[in-house]
Amino acid sequence: MCGIVGYIGAQQAAPILLDGLSKLEYRGYDSAGVCVFSDTGFQVAKTKGRLAALCEMTENGTTITGTLGIGHTRWATHGAPSNENSHPHLSTNGKICVVHNGIIENYLVLKEFLLAHGKTFFSDTDTEVAANLLEYYYEQEGDLRAAACRAVQDLSGSYALGILCTDYPDSMLAIKKDSPLIFGFGKGENFIASDVPAILRYTREVVYLNDGDMVEFTANSVSFFDAQGNALHKTPEHITWEMSAAEKGGYPHFMMKEIHEQPKALRDTISPRIKDGRVVLNELTLSPDYLRGVRRIYIVACGSAYYVGCLGKYILEKTCRIPVEPILASEFRYSEPVLGDDTLVIIISQSGETADTLAALREANTLGARTLAIVNVVGSAISKAAHDVIYTWAGPEIAVATTKAYSTQLSVLYLIALYMGDILGTLSNEEYNTMLDALIRLPDRLSEILTEENLASIKAMADECKDHHDVFFIGRNLDSATCLEGSLKLKEIAYVHSEAYAAGELKHGPISLIENNTLVIAVAGVSTLFEKTMSNVKEVKARGAKVLGLTTVNFKEEIEKTVDRCLLVPQTHPLLQPSLNVVPLQIFSYYVALVRGCDVDKPRNLAKSVTVE
Ligand code: F6R
């Protein structure tokens, strides 16, 4: 989970590479580097630390001249973040230079082989193995593409590689397997990148490379090949979204911007799929007959996407009356799941490239289940590997902590619930219409939470709570799943230890951790269970906890009797309520992170796309 970018054209490459990397920092940000090819050969500049350090080192790229180059922003896997381990990496004789996103799984075996054949290594990375392997085959083949075709036969794992060779002063080669890579067509210039925002300033015409694809290009020509070196024809896709979607647009952080984009993201995801008062999922190839035969649904994902799956269990079981099991992708793949063609596996992923999720999806395909992916990134590996895909139209999500992707994933589950509930006859007309009506209005309800006044009062609560070290989130039913997400947000961006517990479960152990002034955040959005949750609140209050309660406006007076502070959200359809409840929790974590001086958009040790197992 690193970001790579490459440029060939008439302009100076380094500033373009640095600009591209600035749009890819969400993929990793512990070191950065560029290599530019000029008359004097390769000029490599790389350093540990944020991209800003590289910009300073190269005076924003102006100290490096040349019109062809590759760049990299790193999230360390093999070897600590250090200058030596930063990319780009050169081969032993300095003729080949590579940037790499992914993991070469058999790098140790290859390294031993290459050492035995006289190659030397200066870093702890797996990437240097790729550089030296290319050199090894280039010495035999005398042709870079032929060398790449042989090298990929030896490489196991995932890679998007940008490759330069001193014998090819006007061209670049890039290859891909299981890590994203796009090619961008310019006028008199061409690009490669891990993601569209890196090159959107320069071109909207792109090709998403498939696994095994190779691209060889100069400033004015491009050729695509498969892994065996056979020519391929590719048609460019036009990117329709605006650059502003990948910029902060006046907000101090991407996370705050993305929190505010949620109403629009929901509208964009929901509206096109509702026609004449019905949910229409034209993108699905699943027939009504197939859906009537589904006996079990798994929802497989990681992190926040998995927590959407936890909500999905309540939502789909209620609307479709089919057993639903949410399961972490990293567990699913090794659990020998019992699957067959009556099992629908729903895969959820913002990036569409999470390694565990992708592997679980492949396992489900192999075991004969039908797979349906809910994905945000168009053309991503997961979207391609699943039998069916429903895109969330959240737009690019840059902040490492997900907000709008989470919300849109949930909205797709509502669409599926309505669609399947209708086909299966498990929703009455009245239930269908009430839920659909609430779904259409959901973006407006969410906007009501994002007022200046609400933000200020959540900020005040965050200021008050900033010094708490251990926080408990408690809730019942749907709220218990919302708690998981609220707790993760606080952990990942504010570095505050927190636990999410089903409220009724506290007394079976964790209540012993509650002491004077322990912060408990109680989510009481399920109206039928409000009193039960309040009983649990009273139990923790009796042991000295400070309680922040979250509920719907109609329970204002009730909750104020029990908790120390309260957060209120509009009331909606019971199954849709989690969509609103999560929003104050996102904002709360944001402000706690801010007041604690954390880097909100780029939390330590994390990256946006987790392409390692
Ligand atoms: C948390 C967060 C992560 C992701 C998880 C899965 O804020 O963003 O927990 O949800 O890494 O990522 P995707 O959805 O890209 O598969």
Side-chain angles (χ1 to χ4, degrees):
M1 41 212 211
C2 303
I4 71 170
V5 62
Y7 172 79
I8 310 181
Q11 305 183 60
Q12 287 301 312
I16 293 175
L17 297 174
L18 292 175
D19 178 51
L21 292 178
S22 73
K23 308 292 185 305
L24 297 177
E25 253 199 311
Y26 71 89
R27 303 181 64 83
Y29 36 82
D30 58 41
S31 41
V34 290
C35 173
V36 173
F37 198 0
S38 68
D39 299 343
T40 55
F42 288 149
Q43 297 171 70
V44 176
K46 56 185 189 175
T47 177
K48 72 171 184 179
R50 295 280 164 94
L51 181 64
L54 182 67
C55 291
E56 197 180 326
M57 181 187 219
T58 60
E59 295 175 20
N60 291 322
T62 53
T63 58
I64 304 178
T65 52
T67 57
L68 183 165
I70 49 181
H72 187 268
T73 180
R74 181 170 187 246
W75 186 86
T77 55
H78 295 62
S82 69
N83 295 343
E84 297 70 38
N85 290 333
S86 307
H87 300 212
H89 288 285
L90 294 172
S91 64
T92 302
N93 63 13
K95 274 196 155 191
I96 288 174
C97 183
V98 302
V99 286
H100 169 217
N101 170 31
I103 288 191
I104 311 295
E105 285 168 0
N106 58 340
Y107 84 106
L108 278 177
V109 181
L110 291 174
K111 192 169 180 173
E112 270 173 37
F113 170 82
L114 291 164
L115 281 168
H117 286 79
K119 306 298 172 201
T120 45
F121 291 83
F122 302 95
S123 76
D124 305 319
T125 64
D126 51 338
T127 303
E128 224 183 341
V129 163
N132 277 318
L133 191 65
L134 284 161
E135 178 184 295
Y136 173 79
Y137 284 123
Y138 184 63
E139 283 164 347
Q140 295 175 21
E141 298 288 336
D143 176 81
L144 189 60
R145 184 150 43 92
C149 286
R150 288 192 62 190
V152 295
Q153 288 174 27
D154 292 352
L155 295 174
S156 336
S158 56
Y159 46 82
L161 284 163
I163 306 161
L164 301 180
C165 175
T166 48
D167 293 340
Y168 294 75
D170 304 316
S171 72
M172 186 180 310
L173 187 70
I175 53 182
K176 167 202 148 69
K177 181 179 159 272
D178 287 340
S179 291
L181 189 65
I182 55 165
F183 177 83
F185 295 83
K187 291 202 172 66
E189 55 186 9
N190 286 313
F191 307 81
I192 51 160
S194 298
D195 197 0
V196 173
I199 56 172
L200 192 58
R201 177 169 293 176
Y202 312 99
T203 178
R204 289 183 168 274
E205 308 307 313
V206 306
V207 160
Y208 293 88
L209 273 77
N210 290 325
D211 284 344
D213 285 356
M214 225 177 257
V215 57
E216 196 174 39
F217 63 102
T218 66
N220 294 301
S221 67
V222 54
S223 311
F224 298 96
F225 302 93
D226 65 17
Q228 286 72 44
N230 303 310
L232 295 171
H233 176 72
K234 301 265 180 191
T235 312
E237 289 183 38
H238 184 72
I239 303 293
T240 50
W241 47 270
E242 295 302 321
M243 192 60 204
S244 56
E247 286 171 345
K248 283 188 202 150
Y251 288 92
H253 297 96
F254 279 111
M255 182 175 176
M256 197 35 119
K257 176 184 177 233
E258 288 160 6
I259 286 172
H260 279 82
E261 283 174 343
Q262 290 180 108
K264 178 178 183 305
L266 283 181
R267 239 174 246 119
D268 290 350
T269 304
I270 297 166
S271 308
R273 286 153 176 149
I274 297 174
K275 302 234 161 62
D276 304 325
R278 308 310 288 177
V279 171
V280 181
L281 297 177
N282 281 335
E283 56 265 78
L284 287 192
T285 62
L286 299 169
S287 68
D289 272 351
Y290 169 78
L291 290 173
R292 283 187 205 105
V294 171
R295 292 290 164 264
R296 173 176 286 276
I297 298 175
Y298 282 100
I299 306 182
V300 184
C302 300
S304 295
Y306 164 70
Y307 297 149
V308 172
C310 294
L311 288 166
K313 174 179 174 66
Y314 295 100
I315 296 160
L316 292 173
E317 286 190 346
K318 180 98 179 153
T319 50
C320 303
R321 308 310 299 155
I322 296 174
V324 178
E325 190 177 337
I327 177 160
L328 290 165
S330 52
E331 292 299 316
F332 177 84
R333 45 183 308 207
Y334 300 114
S335 66
E336 296 185 30
V338 184
L339 306 177
D341 59 9
D342 59 355
T343 321
L344 176 63
V345 176
I346 300 179
I347 300 279
I348 307 181
S349 176
Q350 185 286 127
S351 61
E353 57 172 311
T354 303
D356 284 320
T357 313
L358 180 59
L361 164 60
R362 287 181 174 150
E363 179 76 3
N365 282 343
T366 307
L367 293 174
R370 283 294 300 225
T371 51
L372 162 61
I374 301 173
V375 178
N376 195 40
V377 177
V378 176
S380 54
I382 290 175
S383 73
K384 287 182 175 163
H387 295 129
D388 282 275
V389 56
I390 301 181
Y391 284 110
T392 49
W393 298 120
E397 193 180 57
I398 309 290
V400 165
T402 183
T403 51
K404 62 175 180 170
Y406 172 97
S407 291
T408 52
Q409 287 162 355
L410 188 50
S411 73
V412 170
L413 285 186
Y414 293 134
L415 290 167
I416 294 174
L418 283 161
Y419 183 77
M420 283 185 65
D422 190 23
I423 288 172
L424 303 180
T426 43
L427 279 177
S428 69
N429 267 347
E430 196 192 335
E431 286 166 332
Y432 183 94
N433 290 334
T434 316
M435 189 170 159
L436 183 61
D437 188 51
L439 186 60
I440 294 167
R441 291 166 197 271
L442 192 63
D444 292 337
R445 296 288 86 78
L446 203 154
S447 295
E448 289 166 26
I449 303 173
L450 300 172
T451 61
E452 290 299 322
E453 195 187 342
N454 270 344
L455 290 176
S457 87
I458 299 173
K459 183 176 183 314
M461 284 181 218
D463 289 348
E464 225 177 85
C465 297
K466 69 178 192 312
D467 295 323
H468 285 273
H469 297 298
D470 295 297
V471 180
F472 287 83
F473 286 76
I474 59 169
R476 286 170 176 265
N477 194 264
L478 288 160
D479 292 333
S480 70
T482 304
C483 285
L484 292 165
E485 174 63 3
S487 170
L488 177 62
K489 284 281 150 298
L490 197 60
K491 285 192 264 267
E492 67 180 332
I493 61 166
Y495 315 148
V496 175
H497 170 246
S498 71
E499 304 264 356
Y501 256 92
E505 187 63 15
L506 264 194
K507 56 188 169 296
H508 297 288
I511 200 162
S512 60
L513 291 166
I514 304 292
E515 50 188 34
N516 210 21
N517 208 31
T518 303
L519 180 62
V520 175
I521 299 182
V523 183
V526 179
S527 56
T528 49
L529 296 172
F530 181 84
E531 288 307 332
K532 298 268 179 217
T533 306
M534 284 309 110
S535 304
N536 301 126
V537 168
K538 284 173 191 148
E539 288 159 13
V540 293
K541 283 226 45 101
R543 285 151 183 88
K546 170 179 169 143
V547 181
L548 206 160
L550 191 158
T551 189
T552 48
V553 280
N554 47 319
F555 279 99
K556 179 175 186 294
E557 280 168 25
E558 288 300 302
I559 202 163
E560 280 175 351
K561 289 181 198 153
T562 317
V563 303
D564 297 290
R565 297 249 171 226
C566 75
L567 292 163
L568 299 172
V569 292
Q571 192 188 20
T572 178
H573 184 283
L575 289 179
L576 271 55
Q577 196 61 50
S579 284
L580 303 182
N581 297 349
V582 75
V583 179
L585 301 181
Q586 297 167 342
I587 301 169
F588 178 77
S589 296
Y590 171 86
Y591 282 125
V592 174
L594 209 61
V595 70
R596 287 167 62 87
C598 303
D599 189 341
V600 174
D601 283 340
K602 295 182 193 130
R604 67 186 178 206
N605 304 337
L606 291 174
K608 185 74 183 160
S609 304
V610 187
T611 54
V612 294
E613 284 181 41

